[in-house]
């Protein structure tokens, strides 16, 4: 009998390991893990009801920076496997939801420990080679953020479960935080191993079971994540891992009567198409499905003329070009006052000239390759539109080379038209567009920034004038769900900056906070009257 009332203590964010001392043990261990991943081609099966399934219908996982190098062969799900995954999730549901939440959370707490102490190098190396991240970017994602999600969500859950309604001497009121009725469909993007971890474990923590469609271009790290969860004790069928074609999998999942919700991160286009399919099947479902999606961004850096030039330049280089600009939060448009433009431009170009790009195994490379040929083509298309326009000038970069890997130079585009296509549309690559505004049009340009793109994810304001912050914060109220003062618009930390945006950027259910976990609950209120009335009359 376990009758303890247990509270998970408030965690602290996982410490970032430094791999940049090239004579250190950490550096050597990460290099060893990279070599191991490089030389051992693996097979990635489906995992349904805890069992590995090799379907024989296969695809390959390659390195973005050496695209001829095959890291893994993965097996694709057929419609029959999708139905098996749904059945497995439904079968596992009863026992999983009835398990005390502390027992469920303990599994995720163990997974965090396993990653922190035993599998850190493996998961980082898989993210580096599989998704094309440098050592620092992999460490803050596949190690630190994954661990933070796992630990902080347990803490947030303990607060949710202890949140109870008022009662009095005559009445006992309780709220039971049931999971949703049915299974949850999770779809993860390629760009963060941590998002794949959170999309699944946040849902499962609250007693739900899951059918997970991972991104084909993040399969290596996602498969290891799945194995780590199993080692941590995740029971069979709680999370079912089915790589394959998204549209085919969705076709079956979204027309199933037990579909109870979707936890999605990816592009706005994909999310809208999923939402449309869900609405078409509304009469099929037993409940109204919960639809949670974090999607695209067109994130801005807005500079006031009181800002510090060096701080702005560092934020632009990191914010726009870390991970080749493939973060939903990456700075992709900037508004610079005329009076600072000359000095910002000179310093920005000087700094970018020092940026090294290449293979992830060489830790001196700040930038690596973009994820795949499709991304390479899309980004180069935007660069070429800028190259051929009279409204845009390429100030730096603009070249791509996909001979060995999908490499694109960090590219700065100065636009004369603030509505130029690269100021409005998400490019999702290393392209930063800049509009220079007259200093006396600060307020007017803030309104322009607010109205320019359909997104509302992240943004930064650089200033040293407090009135400028206040004005920008007010005018840009709905332009970003995560707003930064004097910092780049990327790098939200679990527990510190709950993450998400609205408008075209998603449902803003704030990953990394209790707000997201609440979406995966279906509360039931139980009232007990201690001495019920025995007569219906009021007098
Ligand atoms: P994507 O939309 O191409 O793919 C996301 C996932 O959806 C992948 O697993 C993909 O296979 C799957 N998919 C595509 N069509 C599908 C369908 N019909 N049914 C089911 N699954 C389907 O996005 P991506 O290229 O992986 O990621 C980049 C996008 O994600 C960018 O737009 C970026 O801004 C966004 N993103 C947003 C956040 C955020 O928190 N707001 C975080 C990371 C990425």
């Amino acid at each position: 009998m376990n009758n303890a009332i247990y509270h998970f203590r408030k965690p602290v964010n996982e410490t970032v390991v430094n791999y940049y001392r090239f004579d250190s043990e950490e550096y050597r261990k990460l290099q060893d893990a990279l070599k191991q991943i490089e030389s051992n081609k693996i097979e990635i099966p489906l995992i349904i009801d805890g069992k590995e399934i090799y379907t024989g219908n296969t695809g390959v996982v390659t390195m973005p920076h050496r695209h001829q190098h095959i890291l893994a062969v993965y097996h694709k799900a057929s419609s029959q496997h999708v139905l098996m995954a749904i059945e497995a999730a439904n079968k596992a549901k009863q026992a999983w939801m009835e398990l005390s939440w502390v027992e469920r959370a303990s599994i995720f707490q163990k997974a965090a420990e396993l990653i922190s102490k035993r599998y850190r190098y493996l998961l980082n190396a898989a993210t580096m080679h599989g998704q094309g991240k440098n050592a620092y970017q992999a460490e803050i994602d596949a190690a630190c953020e994954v661990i933070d999600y796992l630990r902080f969500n347990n803490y947030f859950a303990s607060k949710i479960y202890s949140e109870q309604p008022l009662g009095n001497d005559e009445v006992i009121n309780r709220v039971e935080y049931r999971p949703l009725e049915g299974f949850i469909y999770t779809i993860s993007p390629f760009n963060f191993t941590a998002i794949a971890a959170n999309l699944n474990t946040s849902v499962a923590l609250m007693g739900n079971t899951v059918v997970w469609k991972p991104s084909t271009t993040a399969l290596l790290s996602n498969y290891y994540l799945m194995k780590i969860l199993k080692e941590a004790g995740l029971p069979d069928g709680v999370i079912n891992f089915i790589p394959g074609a998204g549209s085919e999998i969705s076709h079956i999942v979204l027309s199933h009567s037990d579909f109870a919700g979707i936890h999605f991160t990816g592009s706005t286009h994909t999310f809208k198409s999923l939402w449309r399919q869900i609405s078409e099947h509304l009469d099929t479902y037993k409940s109204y499905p919960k639809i949670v999606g974090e999607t695209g961004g067109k994130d801005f850096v807005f500079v006031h003329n009181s800002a510090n030039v060096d701080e702005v330049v560092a934020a632009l280089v990191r914010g726009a070009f870390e991970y080749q600009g493939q973060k939903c939060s990456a700075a992709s448009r900037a508004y610079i006052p005329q009076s600072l433009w000359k000095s910002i431009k000179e310093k920005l170009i000087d700094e970018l000239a020092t940026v090294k790009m290449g293979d992830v195994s060489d830790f001196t490379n700040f930038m690596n390759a973009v994820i795949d040929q499709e991304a390479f083509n899309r980004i180069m298309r935007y660069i070429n539109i800028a190259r051929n326009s009279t409204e845009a000038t390429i100030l730096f970069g603009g070249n791509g080379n996909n001979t060995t890997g999908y490499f694109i130079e960090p590219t700065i585009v100065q636009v004369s038209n603030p509505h130029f296509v690269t100021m409005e549309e998400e490019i999702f690559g290393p392209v930063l567009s800049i509009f220079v505004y007259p200093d006396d049009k600060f307020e007017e340009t803030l309104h322009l920034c607010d109205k320019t793109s359909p997104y509302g994810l992240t943004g930064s304001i650089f200033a040293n004038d407090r009135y400028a912050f206040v004005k920008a914060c007010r005018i840009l109220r709905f332009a970003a769900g995560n707003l930064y003062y004097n910092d780049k618009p990327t790098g939200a930390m679990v527990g510190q900056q709950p993450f998400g945006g609205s408008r075209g950027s998603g449902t803003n259910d704030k990953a990394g906070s209790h707000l997201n976990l609440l979406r995966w609950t279906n509360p039931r209120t139980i009232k007990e009257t201690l001495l019920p009335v025995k007569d219906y009359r009021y007098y």
Side-chain angles (χ1 to χ4, degrees):
M1 183 179 66
N2 183 352
N3 55 11
I5 298 176
Y6 183 76
H7 289 273
F8 283 87
R9 77 177 172 89
K10 192 171 191 168
V12 290
N13 292 100
E14 177 77 355
T15 304
V16 179
V17 170
N18 181 354
Y19 300 107
Y20 292 85
R21 287 190 309 263
F22 300 147
D23 56 353
S24 67
E25 194 187 336
E26 291 79 11
Y27 173 81
R28 187 186 49 74
K29 281 187 173 166
L30 187 54
Q31 283 290 358
D32 287 349
L34 284 166
K35 286 194 191 91
Q36 198 199 341
I37 284 203
E38 205 176 318
S39 53
N40 290 331
K41 188 168 92 180
I42 63 161
E43 263 192 273
I44 300 179
L46 321 184
I47 302 179
I48 299 175
D49 202 14
K51 288 164 205 65
E52 303 202 335
I53 298 176
Y54 298 83
T55 65
N57 177 15
T58 57
V60 291
V61 177
T62 57
M63 294 179 181
H65 41 282
R66 267 180 267 159
H67 48 55
Q68 295 307 307
H69 189 112
I70 295 176
L71 292 165
V73 171
Y74 74 96
H75 291 253
K76 298 179 191 173
S78 69
S79 39
Q80 179 209 347
H81 298 113
V82 181
L83 288 170
M84 281 167 65
I86 295 172
E87 202 181 310
N90 282 342
K91 191 178 83 178
K93 180 71 179 288
Q94 189 74 20
W96 180 244
M97 76 175 182
E98 284 184 358
L99 199 63
S100 135
W101 74 270
V102 174
E103 308 292 347
R104 290 198 301 267
S106 304
I107 294 169
F108 299 121
Q109 200 77 11
K110 176 164 179 174
E113 272 303 281
L114 282 170
I115 295 166
S116 179
K117 311 270 164 54
R118 208 171 286 169
Y119 295 118
R120 185 178 214 108
Y121 298 95
L122 174 78
L123 212 50
N124 276 342
T127 301
M128 291 170 74
H129 270 326
Q131 287 138 270
K133 291 203 170 187
N134 68 29
Y136 180 80
Q137 292 300 315
E139 168 68 15
I140 60 172
D141 167 22
C144 299
E145 197 173 348
V146 172
I147 293 165
D148 285 351
Y149 273 130
L150 291 165
R151 291 188 181 141
F152 276 88
N153 281 343
N154 285 347
Y155 168 70
F156 298 137
S158 71
K159 297 192 79 148
I160 289 175
Y161 287 121
S162 53
E163 181 73 23
Q164 291 296 322
L166 296 177
N168 57 42
D169 290 343
E170 296 161 2
V171 169
I172 298 172
N173 292 320
R174 282 174 286 159
V175 166
E176 176 191 358
Y177 293 88
R178 302 172 299 183
L180 308 194
E181 225 180 339
F183 69 90
I184 308 297
Y185 184 29
T186 59
I187 303 177
S188 49
F190 79 84
N191 65 339
F192 276 91
T193 304
I195 293 177
N198 183 55
L199 289 176
N200 290 293
T201 57
S202 61
V203 168
L205 173 62
M206 305 316 279
N208 300 280
T209 53
V210 177
V211 172
W212 173 19
K213 197 220 84 63
S215 170
T216 305
T217 38
L219 274 181
L220 195 65
S221 65
N222 287 194
Y223 173 58
Y224 285 126
L225 195 62
M226 192 65 202
K227 286 175 64 112
I228 293 166
L229 288 170
K230 191 166 168 62
E231 184 175 334
L234 190 74
D236 294 347
V238 172
I239 297 176
N240 299 281
F241 174 81
I242 50 167
S247 54
E248 287 169 30
I249 295 174
S250 292
H251 184 69
I252 294 164
V253 171
L254 299 179
S255 55
H256 198 285
S257 57
D258 290 327
F259 168 70
I262 187 164
H263 202 191
F264 173 86
T265 301
S267 67
T268 303
H269 171 79
T270 306
F271 189 50
K272 284 188 177 174
S273 86
L274 293 165
W275 197 308
R276 278 189 207 102
Q277 287 180 65
I278 292 168
S279 61
E280 276 164 20
H281 289 102
L282 271 187
D283 292 331
T284 313
Y285 307 137
K286 293 179 183 148
S287 320
Y288 295 104
K290 294 219 180 157
I291 304 178
V292 175
E294 294 307 328
T295 60
K298 190 70 198 171
D299 312 292
F300 58 84
V301 171
F302 201 107
V303 181
H304 182 254
N305 62 13
S306 61
N308 176 292
V309 168
D310 292 347
E311 291 169 5
V312 171
V313 171
L316 290 176
V317 176
R318 284 193 173 178
F321 302 116
E322 279 180 331
Y323 192 35
Q324 298 73 261
Q326 299 173 115
K327 300 188 183 188
C328 52
S329 53
S332 63
R333 54 184 169 129
Y335 298 82
I336 314 272
Q338 185 70 53
S339 61
L340 296 187
W341 177 228
K342 186 170 178 296
S343 38
I344 287 179
K345 180 174 150 185
E346 278 171 13
K347 174 118 204 220
L348 187 58
I349 288 173
D350 284 353
E351 287 290 78
L352 286 177
T354 69
V355 164
K356 275 185 68 192
M357 182 166 65
D359 201 295
V360 299
S361 307
D362 178 350
F363 290 12
T364 62
N365 287 325
F366 178 76
M367 286 177 66
N368 313 102
V370 301
I371 193 73
D372 59 13
Q373 183 67 51
E374 199 184 320
F376 182 87
N377 293 346
R378 185 191 60 242
I379 299 160
M380 289 310 297
R381 195 168 59 242
Y382 277 107
I383 292 176
N384 286 329
I385 292 173
R387 199 189 314 281
N388 296 325
S389 170
T390 52
E391 295 180 328
T393 311
I394 295 178
L395 297 182
F396 191 90
N399 301 304
N401 183 337
N402 62 353
T403 321
T404 319
Y406 308 108
F407 292 103
I408 299 181
E409 290 172 349
T411 299
I412 302 280
V413 177
Q414 185 181 352
V415 300
S416 56
N417 171 6
H419 290 288
F420 188 67
V421 62
T422 63
M423 291 292 283
E424 296 199 334
E425 294 182 12
E426 185 183 49
I427 300 171
F428 217 59
V431 181
L432 171 67
S433 296
I434 293 178
F435 176 68
V436 179
Y437 70 91
D439 287 40
D440 61 356
K441 296 249 163 54
F442 177 62
E443 189 163 334
E444 204 177 312
T445 313
L446 284 169
H447 285 289
L448 175 73
C449 174
D450 180 44
K451 298 279 179 302
T452 291
S453 121
Y455 298 104
L457 193 53
T458 74
S460 302
I461 304 161
F462 274 83
N464 278 308
D465 173 340
R466 197 40 63 172
Y467 293 111
F469 281 130
V470 172
K471 187 175 277 183
C473 190
R474 178 174 53 77
I475 294 173
L476 298 172
R477 175 166 289 132
F478 292 102
N482 283 62
L483 185 66
Y484 296 81
Y485 286 4
N486 289 339
D487 204 344
K488 63 187 168 59
T490 60
M493 286 176 71
V494 178
Q496 295 197 36
Q497 295 95 23
F499 189 77
S502 56
R503 294 186 176 167
S505 292
T507 54
N508 198 11
D509 287 296
K510 292 290 187 238
S513 82
H514 70 288
L515 296 170
N516 180 278
L517 297 187
L518 273 175
R519 297 285 276 148
W520 309 113
T521 68
N522 176 16
R524 173 167 78 158
T525 304
I526 301 170
K527 173 187 176 186
E528 179 176 351
T529 300
L530 300 177
L531 299 177
V533 293
K534 291 191 170 162
D535 184 345
Y536 80 91
R537 292 170 188 79
Y538 297 128
Y539 52 88

